[in-house]
Amino acid sequence: MQTVRDADGETYLLVKRSAESSRVRDPATGAERYVDNDQISVVDGESPLATAASGVPEPVRRTLGAVRDDRSLGLLAVVVDEGPIAAIDLLDAADMCESDLHGTITEFRAAGLVEETEVAGRRGYEATAVAVEALGLLRDGSADEADGVDEGDGD
């Protein structure tokens, strides 16, 4: 597999090349199509795996890089859904020891998913817009998720 670019500057993954045409895949949609070989050029130095990943929204890629397991994903969901939340309340809500909680929150902060804030005079954390968007996309494909308001049918 190689990264290729067409005359319009769009980037694709080269799936298969024949004498006159090539099958390319759009990393954002996964859709494949055939194009004439003279319409594309190989992009040297660009990883095809990085090109494939570029089709995943950036907030989701950032979140996937910071989340190690279900517990850490759950911790991020709690901060998104209940935040801003005091650190002491987060410790009570989580089934993690203080050290693991602190380490995970530090990773989230480094990834730009949570920010330190003050909650009722105590140190706490709140989700960034990136985390809110990522959780919305992961939950149901909507970047509008996690606003804390149920917009259901009114039941």
Side-chain angles (χ1 to χ4, degrees), residues 102-136:
H102 180 69
T104 303
I105 289 291
T106 299
E107 289 180 38
F108 290 167
R109 289 182 65 201
L113 300 174
V114 299
E115 295 175 338
E116 195 168 306
T117 190
E118 189 172 299
V119 179
R122 297 190 213 167
R123 185 183 60 161
Y125 301 98
E126 64 184 331
T128 64
V130 171
V132 172
E133 181 179 357
L135 261 286

Side-chain angles (χ1 to χ4, degrees), residues 12 39 41 48 53 65 68 77-79 88 90 93-94 99 102-103 113 115 127 129 136 139 142 150:
Y12 298 94
Q39 299 295 312
S41 59
R68 298 184 312 269
V78 167
V79 175
I88 191 75
L90 195 54
S99 175
H102 180 69
L113 300 174
E115 295 175 338
R139 283 176 165 159
S142 166
D150 181 9

Side-chain angles (χ1 to χ4, degrees), residues 28-142:
T29 65
E32 294 184 0
R33 65 184 177 99
Y34 285 91
V35 297
D36 292 335
N37 285 338
D38 62 355
Q39 299 295 312
I40 58 171
S41 59
V42 174
V43 180
D44 290 324
E46 191 164 324
S47 165
L49 295 178
T51 299
S54 72
V56 175
E58 191 278 332
V60 174
R61 290 194 320 265
R62 190 185 304 186
T63 300
L64 291 174
V67 170
R68 298 184 312 269
D69 53 26
D70 284 350
R71 290 173 68 213
S72 59
L73 179 58
L75 178 64
L76 183 61
V78 167
V79 175
V80 167
D81 294 342
E82 298 181 21
I85 185 169
I88 191 75
D89 295 333
L90 195 54
L91 188 58
D92 286 343
D95 62 344
M96 300 173 134
C97 68
E98 187 173 353
S99 175
D100 287 348
L101 177 69
H102 180 69
T104 303
I105 289 291
T106 299
E107 289 180 38
F108 290 167
R109 289 182 65 201
L113 300 174
V114 299
E115 295 175 338
E116 195 168 306
T117 190
E118 189 172 299
V119 179
R122 297 190 213 167
R123 185 183 60 161
Y125 301 98
E126 64 184 331
T128 64
V130 171
V132 172
E133 181 179 357
L135 261 286
L137 290 166
L138 289 168
R139 283 176 165 159
D140 70 0
S142 166

